[in-house]
Amino acid sequence: MPSTEATPENAIVLNNFGGQHQLCIENALDLANALELDNALWMATSVPVDGLHCDESFLKILDTEGNGRIRADEMRSVIKWTLKLLKNQECISERNEQLFLGDLNEADDEAQKLIDAAKHILNNLGEPDGRSISLPQIRDTKRINAEANSNGDGVVIPGAASDETAEYMKAVM
């Protein structure tokens, strides 16, 4: 895995957009470089959430204080978290709508929880051998719950139990 620490070899690249110099972010190295920027160099140290054209759920995650604003330090936290979870950081620049489970750093406890959750969702969606997951799949809670062995209604079906327990459940029923 390449280092994402900012070095002279991966120096910060600024582009001039409409008279404003802005950080060019195209890959994981550029994100790592953003971590090193002084607050004065950020385009805005705080931006109102309602002024952004972005997925509303994502914006709620970024706005950790729930104050309707995303601050530079909140962005830094998300960038660090993202880089920590990915063992294949090149996937950031691939612009793929799928998250390949193999790109996650299974040595990290949090990433392993994400892998387990993704596998659980894929299994419930009838794709137990799935190697990637998409946002629409994650958000398909109706289908995920409908296909689950335990869907929250309090009824546990024999298919959700071990073979021995399933046999006992069938006998009782």
Side-chain angles (χ1 to χ4, degrees):
M1 168 171 53
S3 169
T4 53
E5 287 189 33
T7 65
E9 292 81 34
N10 60 35
I12 293 173
V13 175
L14 299 173
N15 288 334
N16 190 332
F17 295 102
Q20 298 274 335
H21 284 87
Q22 297 178 20
L23 179 63
C24 181
I25 298 179
E26 295 180 353
N27 55 44
L29 292 173
D30 295 335
L31 283 173
N33 284 335
L35 295 172
E36 304 302 320
L37 282 178
D38 185 86
N39 269 352
L41 297 175
W42 282 71
M43 183 65 178
T45 55
S46 177
V47 63
V49 171
D50 59 3
L52 300 174
H53 300 287
C54 189
D55 183 87
E56 193 174 308
S57 297
F58 180 66
L59 293 174
K60 284 181 183 177
I61 291 168
L62 291 178
D63 181 14
T64 58
E65 292 183 351
N67 60 3
R69 300 187 73 77
I70 299 171
R71 295 183 338 273
D73 62 320
E74 289 172 315
M75 286 301 302
R76 283 188 188 95
S77 292
V78 169
I79 292 168
K80 287 177 189 174
W81 181 79
T82 301
L83 295 175
K84 176 182 79 104
L85 293 182
L86 293 172
K87 72 177 175 191
N88 174 22
Q89 296 174 343
E90 287 82 25
C91 71
I92 290 172
S93 57
E94 292 172 1
R95 300 179 191 265
N96 193 328
E97 292 184 7
Q98 299 281 322
L99 172 64
F100 291 92
L101 304 185
D103 288 341
L104 291 167
N105 179 10
E106 63 275 346
D108 181 84
D109 289 341
E110 233 177 330
Q112 186 58 55
K113 287 177 185 176
L114 289 175
I115 293 168
D116 294 343
K119 286 181 179 180
H120 179 77
I121 290 169
L122 290 168
N123 187 55
N124 285 359
L125 293 176
E127 302 175 35
D129 298 324
R131 294 181 175 196
S132 66
I133 193 163
S134 68
L135 191 56
Q137 286 174 308
I138 292 168
R139 289 189 172 161
D140 193 356
T141 55
K142 194 176 217 178
R143 194 168 145 226
I144 291 168
N145 290 332
E147 299 298 324
N149 287 328
S150 173
N151 62 13
D153 60 6
V155 177
V156 179
I157 62 172
S162 66
D163 290 339
E164 184 179 321
T165 304
E167 288 302 318
Y168 176 75
M169 291 170 72
K170 288 176 188 176
V172 170
M173 288 192 282

